[in-house]
């Protein structure tokens, strides 16, 4: 078993602990990046289903967010 890393960890949006040991999520970073120019309207889990073959299916839940651009002042 190995770990595949496609980019340097300092480029990740989340999924790590900061220098103080606090868990940083992708959603936390997304809010900090988008927050100045966008308003978070809604965030909720959204389920989806993928039929791969007649006998193989996937059921999963994604964290969905809806953003609205803030008006320029």
């Amino acid at each position: 078993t190995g770990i595949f890393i496609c980019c340097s960890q300092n480029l990740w949006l989340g999924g790590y602990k900061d220098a103080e040991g606090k868990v940083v999520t992708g959603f936390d970073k997304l809010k900090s990046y988008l927050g100045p120019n966008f308003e978070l309207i809604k965030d909720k889990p959204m389920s989806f289903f993928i039929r791969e073959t007649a006998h193989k299916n996937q059921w999963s839940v994604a964290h969905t967010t809806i953003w609205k651009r803030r008006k320029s002042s």
Side-chain angles (χ1 to χ4, degrees), residues 6-41:
C6 62
C7 63
S8 177
Q9 188 173 358
N10 66 338
L11 299 175
W12 293 3
L13 275 181
Y16 61 91
K17 292 183 180 180
D18 65 12
E20 298 169 356
K22 180 182 177 235
V23 173
V24 178
T25 67
F27 182 52
D28 292 335
K29 293 300 274 185
L30 191 62
K31 287 189 294 186
S32 72
Y33 290 145
L34 295 180
N37 297 310
F38 292 85
E39 176 187 357
L40 176 61
I41 304 298

